[in-house]
Amino acid sequence: MSYIDLNYKPSENDLICRFFVEPEGNSAIEKACENIAAESSIGTWTELSTMESEIYERLGPHVFEIDTASGEVLIAYPSDLFEPGNIPEILSSIAGNIFGMKAVENLRLLDVEFPEKLARSFLGPRFGISGVREVLGVFDRPLVGTIIKPKLGLNSEKHAHVAYESWVGGCDIVKDDENLTNQDFNPFRERILKTLGMRNKAEEETGEKKIYMPNISAETEEMLERAEFVKENGGRYVMVDIVTVGFSALQTLRKENLGMVIHAHRAMHAAFTRNKKHGISMLVLAKLSRLIGVDQLHIGTAVGKMEGPREEVVEIKNAIVGDWYGLKNTFPVSSGGLHPGMIPALVEIMGEDVIIQAGGGVHGHSNGTKAGAMAMRQALNAAMQAIPLEEYAEKNPELKAALDKWGKP
Amino acid sequence: MSYIDLNYKPSENDLICRFFVEPEGNSAIEKACENIAAESSIGTWTELSTMESEIYERLGPHVFEIDTASGEVLIAYPSDLFEPGNIPEILSSIAGNIFGMKAVENLRLLDVEFPEKLARSFLGPRFGISGVREVLGVFDRPLVGTIIKPKLGLNSEKHAHVAYESWVGGCDIVKDDENLTNQDFNPFRERILKTLGMRNKAEEETGEKKIYMPNISAETEEMLERAEFVKENGGRYVMVDIVTVGFSALQTLRKENLGMVIHAHRAMHAAFTRNKKHGISMLVLAKLSRLIGVDQLHIGTAVGKMEGPREEVVEIKNAIVGDWYGLKNTFPVSSGGLHPGMIPALVEIMGEDVIIQAGGGVHGHSNGTKAGAMAMRQALNAAMQAIPLEEYAEKNPELKAALDKWGKP
């Protein structure tokens, strides 16, 4: 009973996985492929008395391409293997036990092509890029956001004050950091009330729409209650740590559909996405996130404090913004070690449809948060008008101070 | 503002992480440690105008041990940094962005010591080993289970029939596989009804308690509905893919406390636990699972088709069965490529408190499932009486056939 068929032509109902495969020891890649295909679908390590040829014919996967030079392998799985609308089930098949098999030394799920039938069993984003732009009323430039810093430690009042300074300085968006939820030094409900209050004030003063993205990550029911609380108090957004919260709860949040934009932070992803030979690619995580329906997703910066090369970030961006069976798209977010000096390069890489977030790059400004936010917006203005930052900085002292502190990479 | 203090003595309220750290390029490990400590708590990549010395004093972490030879580092975090009862929040801190930082080439969270205050903010298992043994009425030997194989493809009726054969052959436990949930070829509700029906029949015929562990992995609310359905129909157990479902939903399942034993499958864990230099150890995942409150957890086999050396499996076992602030313990499960010939070695490694599961090692038996289950139970009987398998096989033809097919490793 073999799963390798290099003459197989995938059908439109197949789900196709691209793996990098490094077989154990000196064994052939074909042997590893047989093991991967079996374990991720209908088989196991030994012949079964309970197997039926009809099952093998109807549900058996097909390894239809093996590139021995690169170690890249394509496997087609009939979509009937999977439960529609159930991300955990799909991952337990194509990204489950196989990573722990002795038959492989390393194994990486590089990409997944979902058949339309399966893709459309998910909700996808409710807002997408155009919906987010409608909420903000900003249509012709990247959005600028900040993360309140220090990540942890400010009390609710100070948190709200720093948010206010960020908004009036020019940020569209203020978000909590990934590890701030409901700690004693800054309780969730108090923070929401105070920060949304300051948002209203900032909107009045600037005449711009302003966004607060509170981190609601928690046990599912608690998370939903927090989302309800945000909504009741005039919030339009929630943010969630999609990896540490997990796929079932993320699906629940989207399903409950509270009418708020969902911002997805990816803390912990690099535990399994970073090694180029093993684990799961960020591209796959991004596709899953769009299927489930997050409206905004951190995908990397190509510049900044986090690793992730430019080509990879662009590939992920294209996957979440392009057409995909009529699903709405997801707004790419670049965040992590950014500062004003990086904005032109970032806009050049990402285009206009990107949310640029800087935490340290705003609150680390020599003249404080408001000046930092002003510098970010100034850098964006310069980039949009194709004016060199140094030139634009001549008449914009906040930008000048930022460039003086952090330079231009 | 430094986080390194090699004279620091951790307090009983500190959460302590043991990391393996490989700094980027030629930079010093101390520099990487500063970055890790900052990013996982209150800091970022630059000095902040909004930081206050009071926050640094009260919430700052302490890197208090750096072993440059092994790359192992200990960091103590004040427990006030974390939200009690919120696993996603804790992971977004100590296992979040840090894995993606350019400042490290590789980073692995090897172990976490939870302070009592934080550990006791979680429910822990409802049953634990003694509770599970009460349910089954088996107190003096390992439990024997099987996974219905083929993993996918059997219809509900055949699924129930294979389960029945397994029980009457001698298995205590029958479980669904990790990727079987609610597919068209075997719908969840139909499977539950038929399989629990056959469980009742098997209990009557054998006079033993029998367990069925249905895989309820799905979006959170759907998962809870499935659990309710199992309970309403006389089920005593649910199983869940804890990694692909995720921590928030797992906490919800435990919180809802339906009075059923929770069996935890770990599909996908090896995407981040396998590489010895990067990611998160299985030991950490096991501790988190016990905190949340799974009653049974797959921890490896030390023998069989999955990688994971003996010392590591024993370390994990000790972490989930030992005393821990009064939390109940978790029953270790060994599953993956096992067959009767491996049982004596496994019992020698794991002791009596282990659940031994074989899928292929039961249903791959030359004479079918029932004979395969008999062979498993015979091998266990032999091991418990310290009789060599070959000797015991002389009077037990099912065991003999299994040894003839698969040998004794």
Side-chain angles (χ1 to χ4, degrees):
Chain A
M1 203 170 269
S2 169
Y3 297 105
I4 299 178
D5 177 1
L6 301 180
N7 295 316
Y8 180 77
K9 298 270 172 285
S11 93
E12 64 170 17
N13 282 322
D14 285 346
L15 177 151
I16 299 169
C17 290
R18 187 156 60 90
F19 289 104
F20 165 78
V21 177
E22 184 185 334
E24 71 170 326
N26 295 317
S27 64
I29 193 168
E30 287 79 9
K31 182 162 170 271
C33 288
E34 293 282 11
N35 277 284
I36 294 162
E39 186 69 33
S40 57
S41 61
I42 58 173
T44 189
W45 57 277
T46 186
E47 298 281 319
L48 299 166
S49 64
T50 46
M51 180 56 96
E52 298 162 0
S53 60
E54 184 270 332
I55 294 174
Y56 173 74
E57 297 296 334
R58 184 167 44 91
L59 295 174
H62 299 86
V63 182
F64 67 98
E65 206 173 301
I66 300 176
D67 182 336
T68 45
S70 68
E72 288 195 17
V73 167
L74 292 172
I75 306 182
Y77 298 85
S79 60
D80 285 348
L81 281 167
F82 307 106
E83 180 182 353
N86 189 336
I87 292 287
E89 192 284 326
I90 296 171
L91 286 177
S92 291
S93 285
I94 63 171
N97 292 348
I98 50 176
F99 295 115
M101 292 193 310
K102 281 180 184 165
V104 291
E105 191 65 32
N106 279 292
L107 177 67
R108 183 164 168 88
L109 179 57
L110 298 167
D111 197 2
V112 183
E113 297 290 335
F114 291 88
E116 181 165 8
K117 181 178 150 187
L118 207 54
R120 293 181 64 100
S121 70
F122 295 92
L123 294 170
R126 171 158 175 168
F127 291 86
I129 294 176
S130 65
V132 167
R133 288 195 174 284
E134 289 285 342
V135 172
L136 266 163
V138 173
F139 301 95
D140 55 356
R141 60 165 173 84
L143 306 180
V144 178
T146 190
I147 309 101
I148 300 294
K149 303 277 178 182
K151 299 161 86 82
L152 300 180
L154 296 177
N155 66 26
S156 313
E157 192 139 359
K158 285 175 182 161
H159 185 100
H161 177 72
V162 174
Y164 169 78
E165 294 283 313
S166 308
W167 282 314
V168 295
C171 285
D172 304 298
I173 294 171
V174 169
K175 74 179 266 297
D176 294 345
D177 221 334
E178 75 285 346
N179 57 355
L180 177 66
T181 54
N182 182 39
Q183 286 95 324
D184 283 346
F185 57 81
N186 190 350
F188 182 79
R189 291 179 174 228
E190 199 179 309
R191 177 167 81 254
I192 301 311
L193 294 177
K194 294 206 160 112
T195 309
L196 287 174
M198 292 309 258
R199 180 207 62 182
N200 296 343
K201 183 164 143 71
E203 287 192 337
E204 267 173 44
E205 289 176 19
T206 61
E208 295 182 338
K209 284 272 184 212
K210 299 295 185 183
I211 291 298
Y212 173 43
M213 308 195 307
N215 184 358
I216 61 168
S217 303
E219 174 274 316
T220 323
E221 289 167 357
E222 177 65 30
M223 182 168 74
L224 292 176
E225 279 175 31
R226 290 180 191 180
E228 287 280 5
F229 185 80
V230 171
K231 185 175 184 177
E232 282 163 16
N233 289 285
R236 308 172 191 121
Y237 270 66
V238 289
M239 74 161 271
V240 59
D241 297 339
I242 60 172
V243 179
T244 59
V245 151
F247 295 106
S248 292
L250 185 62
Q251 288 201 257
T252 308
L253 180 65
R254 175 63 186 92
K255 183 183 121 187
E256 285 301 317
N257 201 357
L258 297 164
M260 290 186 288
V261 181
I262 298 174
H263 177 93
H265 193 288
R266 60 179 181 159
M268 198 173 115
H269 79 95
F272 57 83
T273 63
R274 183 167 181 173
N275 184 321
K276 295 299 170 255
K277 295 170 77 179
H278 190 74
I280 302 169
S281 71
M282 184 60 213
L283 177 63
V284 171
L285 180 59
K287 286 186 171 184
L288 296 172
S289 302
R290 181 174 177 185
L291 283 182
I292 292 173
V294 308
D295 298 292
Q296 305 181 171
L297 175 66
H298 290 225
I299 65 164
T301 57
V303 291
K305 73 181 169 181
M306 298 300 181
E307 70 89 37
R310 174 175 175 155
E311 317 76 58
E312 192 189 306
V313 173
V314 170
E315 185 185 25
I316 297 165
K317 173 182 83 80
N318 292 338
I320 64 171
V321 304
D323 291 337
W324 203 26
Y325 304 129
L327 288 169
K328 284 189 182 157
N329 57 13
T330 297
F331 218 137
V333 179
S334 286
S335 186
L338 297 180
H339 59 71
M342 291 167 169
I343 287 187
L346 195 58
V347 172
E348 194 253 314
I349 295 168
M350 302 291 287
E352 282 185 23
D353 282 334
V354 61
I355 298 173
I356 303 171
Q357 294 179 172
V362 166
H363 314 292
H365 192 283
S366 317
N367 299 313
T369 293
K370 185 175 173 187
M374 290 172 74
M376 284 290 289
R377 193 77 176 262
Q378 289 160 2
L380 180 61
N381 290 343
M384 296 306 291
Q385 298 170 53
I387 301 171
L389 287 190
E390 292 82 351
E391 187 186 324
Y392 203 81
E394 287 168 16
K395 293 184 181 167
N396 290 280
E398 294 81 11
L399 179 57
K400 180 160 191 320
L403 298 180
D404 285 348
K405 178 163 183 181
W406 294 306
K408 208 188 133 183
Chain B
M1 205 170 265
S2 169
Y3 297 106
I4 298 177
D5 177 2
L6 301 179
N7 294 317
Y8 179 76
K9 297 271 172 283
S11 92
E12 63 169 17
N13 281 324
D14 285 346
L15 176 149
I16 298 168
C17 290
R18 188 156 59 89
F19 289 103
F20 164 78
V21 177
E22 184 185 335
E24 70 169 329
N26 294 316
S27 65
I29 193 168
E30 286 78 9
K31 182 163 170 270
C33 289
E34 293 282 11
N35 277 285
I36 294 163
E39 186 68 35
S40 58
S41 61
I42 58 173
T44 189
W45 58 276
T46 187
E47 297 283 319
L48 298 166
S49 64
T50 46
M51 180 58 96
E52 298 163 359
S53 61
E54 184 271 332
I55 294 174
Y56 173 75
E57 295 297 333
R58 185 168 43 92
L59 295 174
H62 299 86
V63 182
F64 67 98
E65 208 173 300
I66 300 176
D67 183 336
T68 45
S70 68
E72 288 196 15
V73 167
L74 291 173
I75 306 182
Y77 299 85
S79 59
D80 285 348
L81 282 168
F82 308 105
E83 180 183 353
N86 189 337
I87 292 286
E89 191 284 325
I90 295 171
L91 286 176
S92 291
S93 285
I94 62 172
N97 293 348
I98 50 176
F99 294 115
M101 291 192 310
K102 282 181 182 163
V104 292
E105 190 65 34
N106 279 291
L107 177 66
R108 184 166 168 87
L109 179 56
L110 298 167
D111 197 2
V112 183
E113 297 289 335
F114 291 88
E116 179 165 9
K117 180 178 150 186
L118 207 54
R120 292 181 66 100
S121 71
F122 294 92
L123 294 169
R126 172 158 174 169
F127 290 87
I129 295 176
S130 66
V132 167
R133 289 194 173 285
E134 289 284 343
V135 172
L136 266 163
V138 174
F139 301 95
D140 55 357
R141 60 164 173 85
L143 307 181
V144 178
T146 191
I147 308 103
I148 299 296
K149 301 278 178 181
K151 298 161 87 83
L152 299 179
L154 296 178
N155 65 27
S156 313
E157 192 140 359
K158 284 175 182 160
H159 185 101
H161 177 71
V162 174
Y164 169 77
E165 294 282 313
S166 307
W167 282 315
V168 296
C171 285
D172 303 299
I173 293 171
V174 169
K175 75 179 264 296
D176 294 345
D177 221 332
E178 75 284 348
N179 56 353
L180 177 66
T181 54
N182 182 39
Q183 285 96 325
D184 283 346
F185 58 81
N186 189 350
F188 182 79
R189 291 182 174 226
E190 197 179 310
R191 176 168 83 253
I192 301 312
L193 295 176
K194 293 206 160 112
T195 309
L196 286 174
M198 292 310 258
R199 180 206 62 183
N200 296 342
K201 184 163 143 71
E203 286 192 337
E204 268 174 42
E205 290 177 19
T206 61
E208 295 181 340
K209 284 271 185 215
K210 299 295 185 185
I211 291 298
Y212 173 44
M213 308 196 308
N215 184 358
I216 61 168
S217 302
E219 173 274 317
T220 322
E221 289 166 357
E222 177 64 31
M223 182 168 76
L224 292 175
E225 279 175 31
R226 290 180 190 180
E228 288 281 5
F229 186 81
V230 171
K231 185 174 185 178
E232 281 163 15
N233 288 284
R236 305 173 194 122
Y237 270 66
V238 288
M239 77 161 270
V240 60
D241 297 339
I242 59 173
V243 180
T244 59
V245 152
F247 294 106
S248 292
L250 186 62
Q251 287 202 258
T252 309
L253 180 66
R254 175 62 185 93
K255 181 183 123 186
E256 284 302 316
N257 201 355
L258 298 164
M260 290 185 289
V261 180
I262 298 174
H263 176 92
H265 192 289
R266 60 178 180 159
M268 198 173 116
H269 78 96
F272 56 84
T273 63
R274 184 165 180 173
N275 184 320
K276 295 297 168 257
K277 296 169 78 180
H278 191 73
I280 302 169
S281 72
M282 183 60 213
L283 177 64
V284 171
L285 179 59
K287 286 185 171 184
L288 297 172
S289 302
R290 182 175 178 184
L291 283 181
I292 293 173
V294 309
D295 298 292
Q296 305 181 172
L297 175 68
H298 290 225
I299 65 165
T301 58
V303 290
K305 73 181 169 181
M306 298 300 180
E307 71 89 37
R310 173 174 176 155
E311 316 75 59
E312 191 190 307
V313 173
V314 170
E315 186 184 26
I316 297 165
K317 173 181 82 82
N318 291 338
I320 64 171
V321 306
D323 291 337
W324 204 27
Y325 303 129
L327 289 169
K328 285 189 183 160
N329 57 12
T330 297
F331 218 137
V333 179
S334 286
S335 185
L338 297 179
H339 60 71
M342 291 168 168
I343 287 187
L346 194 59
V347 173
E348 194 252 315
I349 295 168
M350 302 289 289
E352 282 184 22
D353 282 335
V354 61
I355 299 173
I356 303 170
Q357 295 179 171
V362 166
H363 314 293
H365 192 282
S366 318
N367 298 312
T369 293
K370 184 175 173 187
M374 290 172 74
M376 284 290 290
R377 192 77 176 260
Q378 289 160 2
L380 181 61
N381 290 343
M384 296 305 291
Q385 297 169 52
I387 300 170
L389 287 190
E390 292 82 350
E391 186 185 325
Y392 204 80
E394 288 167 15
K395 293 183 179 166
N396 291 279
E398 293 81 12
L399 179 57
K400 181 162 191 316
L403 299 180
D404 286 349
K405 179 165 183 182
W406 292 306
K408 208 188 131 182

